[in-house]
């Protein structure tokens, strides 16, 4: 089995807190797209949430059909309005078409089973 490598990320950054090694479940196309967004942004991304086990998703009140459950999503920390703007700009430039905006994070996913061209708030 080959080890997947990405320019800016290690898969353990995406582990569900209750399941060591679960970052390996992240979708490869998603990870490459996130790497591109990181290149564009020019600053490190702090991953708040990547892959989620069903139990962890329920514990934190995630939606039943969360894209995190399939490895198609990440929540990225942003501590200021400027960083939020730069993150959103990088995500759009990298081709992401599903973005959620929280007070201190940006959710991004490329779930092929969901509608695209959406930006929502939490």
């Amino acid at each position: 089995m080959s080890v997947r490598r990405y320019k800016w990320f290690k898969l353990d950054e995406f582990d569900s807190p209750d399941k060591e090694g679960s970052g390996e479940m992240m979708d490869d196309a998603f990870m490459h797209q996130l790497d591109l967004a990181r290149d564009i942004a020019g600053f490190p991304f702090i991953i708040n949430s990547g892959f989620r086990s069903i139990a962890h998703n329920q514990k934190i009140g995630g939606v039943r059909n969360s894209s995190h459950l399939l490895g198609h999503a990440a929540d990225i920390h942003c501590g200021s309005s400027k960083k939020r703007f730069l993150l959103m700009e990088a995500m759009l430039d990298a081709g992401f078409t599903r973005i959620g905006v929280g007070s201190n994070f940006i959710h991004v996913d490329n779930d092929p089973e969901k509608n695209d061209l959406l930006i929502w708030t939490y």
Side-chain angles (χ1 to χ4, degrees), residues 94-111:
F96 283 106
T97 59
R98 292 182 45 81
I99 301 171
V101 182
S103 61
N104 63 353
F105 70 96
I106 297 288
H107 166 95
V108 62
D109 75 66
N110 70 349
D111 193 328

Side-chain angles (χ1 to χ4, degrees), residues 16-98:
S16 184
D18 62 340
K19 192 168 184 180
E20 186 176 334
S22 59
E24 293 287 335
M25 301 297 291
M26 293 301 294
D27 178 72
D28 192 52
F30 174 84
M31 292 301 299
H32 284 292
Q33 196 171 3
L34 195 62
D35 250 353
L36 175 59
R38 168 59 179 85
D39 272 338
I40 293 166
F43 57 83
F45 292 177
I46 298 169
I47 307 302
N48 288 349
S49 182
F51 182 81
R52 291 181 191 160
S53 69
I54 292 171
H56 180 68
N57 192 59
Q58 289 174 339
K59 178 181 176 180
I60 64 169
V63 296
R64 184 182 51 76
N65 66 339
S66 174
S67 300
H68 289 274
L69 298 169
L70 303 172
H72 284 284
D75 295 343
I76 302 157
H77 177 76
C78 60
S80 70
S81 292
K82 182 173 184 174
K83 186 150 287 188
R84 187 178 305 107
F85 176 88
L86 294 171
L87 275 170
M88 286 204 42
E89 182 177 50
M91 296 306 167
L92 291 167
D93 288 349
F96 283 106
T97 59
R98 292 182 45 81

